[in-house]
Amino acid sequence: MRVLDLDRDMRDVIPTGASADSEFLFERMTHRTLAAVGPEPGRRVLDVAAGVGQDAAALAEAGMFSVAAEPSSRMSELAKWSLSQRSGPHPVWVRGWSDRLPFATGSFDAVFCKGALDHFDHPTAAIAEMARVTRTSGVVVLAIANFDSLSCRVSRLVDRFRETGMRRPVPLGRRGHDVPHDHFTRYEVGLMREQASVSLDLHCVEGVSMAWGMPHWAHVLESMPRRGVQATLEGLDWLARRVPALADVVVLAGRPLRSSNTAA
Ligand SMILES: C[S@@+](CC[C@H](N)C(=O)[O-])C[C@H]1O[C@@H](n2cnc3c(N)ncnc32)[C@H](O)[C@@H]1O
């Protein structure tokens, strides 16, 4: 029997910007995801696996009809509590799993899912559901961590060299390039494209940020002057945008493909 925990506190898996490269990555990832959603007032937008709902809230404040879908009641309660401290329009909260979204076909102008697809046990079913609930000329946006990024590749090489070349013991615990225990899928760009293309006609596959979490990278940035840090991170982001295979995060966007059973 499978037991689903609907009371999980997932705040620990929502990264926070504790270093310059983390701050840059999470700010850019959010900015590019929401830009791909097309943030015009009046649009109907769905945030799938909304977590504590900061993105859905930002869109509501920007004048959109914003819906946040999240299965964990704990996360939704935390979100509602933090929003209750703020005035202004709030998103509508709906409890729901990504692979069975409780909305009619074609209900939204845009649907997005940021930093969560790798937590889903049925990601292709989830993308199909996102496509179904989006109107035919709308857009589905996915932002996914890339576990074959430049940083993961370099970290893997360094670890291999330490373990086999220098004969150092394998360190205990999760290494930066290992997929966390609560992820079901280890994504790289090929797999992202393959899964997304089943339900979406992709018009955007672009990377966000590069070198996040690379060995000693945060210390290198700390030793640089502030303007140099910003220029370096911007330069790597420029490269990531063009070479998503090496980027830290990939943003994919596309129009929903309709099959006979999902036609609006
Ligand atoms: C890392 S958080 C991301 C939250 C948010 N999108 C953000 O960018 O901060 C992952 C979220 O996915 C949710 N989740 C996990 N499995 C899910 C599923 N099968 N369907 C929908 N949401 C799920 C969790 O409850 C959690 O809130």
Side-chain angles (χ1 to χ4, degrees):
M1 187 181 71
R2 187 162 173 235
V3 178
L4 301 173
D5 182 1
L6 292 175
D7 196 27
R8 275 178 79 186
D9 184 346
M10 297 279 287
R11 278 175 296 175
D12 60 327
V13 301
I14 297 178
T16 48
S19 58
D21 55 336
S22 293
E23 216 171 278
F24 182 89
L25 167 62
F26 302 125
E27 184 278 319
R28 266 314 138 91
M29 177 183 180
T30 303
H31 176 79
R32 297 261 276 281
T33 305
L34 300 189
V37 163
E40 295 91 36
R43 273 162 76 77
R44 297 172 67 85
V45 180
L46 171 67
D47 181 356
V48 173
V52 290
Q54 71 285 359
D55 300 325
L59 296 181
E61 275 167 21
M64 291 187 226
F65 179 75
S66 173
V67 179
E70 168 60 47
S72 160
S73 57
R74 186 118 179 242
M75 296 295 275
S76 306
E77 290 311 317
L78 283 165
K80 286 181 205 162
W81 178 82
S82 75
L83 281 178
S84 68
Q85 319 289 309
R86 285 156 53 174
S87 58
H90 291 171
V92 174
W93 289 94
V94 174
R95 197 166 190 190
W97 292 98
S98 54
D99 50 12
R100 204 182 285 190
L101 293 169
F103 306 105
T105 300
S107 299
F108 295 94
D109 299 307
V111 174
F112 70 101
C113 177
K114 181 178 131 255
L117 204 73
D118 36 20
H119 291 271
F120 300 169
D121 41 356
H122 302 296
T124 38
I127 301 169
E129 272 295 86
M130 293 182 222
R132 180 185 67 76
V133 302
T134 305
R135 68 177 164 85
T136 342
S137 55
V139 66
V140 176
V141 181
L142 309 169
I144 311 172
N146 176 19
F147 277 84
D148 208 20
S149 63
L150 176 70
S151 173
C152 288
R153 292 175 199 219
V154 170
S155 307
R156 250 181 251 128
L157 276 178
V158 169
D159 280 352
R160 206 167 299 150
F161 176 70
R162 285 173 59 180
E163 287 156 20
T164 54
M166 298 168 73
R167 302 212 177 277
R168 295 250 191 98
V170 180
L172 280 176
R174 189 175 84 81
R175 299 163 299 181
H177 52 85
D178 289 331
V179 171
H181 64 89
D182 54 2
H183 284 205
F184 279 90
T185 311
R186 180 187 180 282
Y187 276 106
E188 40 76 28
V189 176
L191 182 60
M192 296 177 198
R193 275 183 188 278
E194 188 187 313
Q195 288 189 352
S197 301
V198 175
S199 306
L200 304 175
D201 178 13
L202 291 174
H203 58 255
C204 160
V205 179
E206 61 176 45
V208 181
S209 157
M210 200 180 281
W212 176 69
M214 209 153 69
H216 307 297
W217 184 233
H219 296 301
V220 171
L221 292 175
E222 263 171 35
S223 67
M224 289 167 66
R226 190 188 275 264
R227 277 171 62 188
V229 171
Q230 191 61 22
T232 305
L233 295 174
E234 295 281 359
L236 286 167
D237 185 50
W238 182 90
L239 196 59
R241 211 165 174 156
R242 285 147 187 88
V243 193
L246 297 180
D248 298 321
V249 166
V250 179
V251 174
L252 302 98
R255 292 240 298 264
L257 295 169
R258 285 280 186 263
S259 62
S260 53
N261 56 346
T262 60

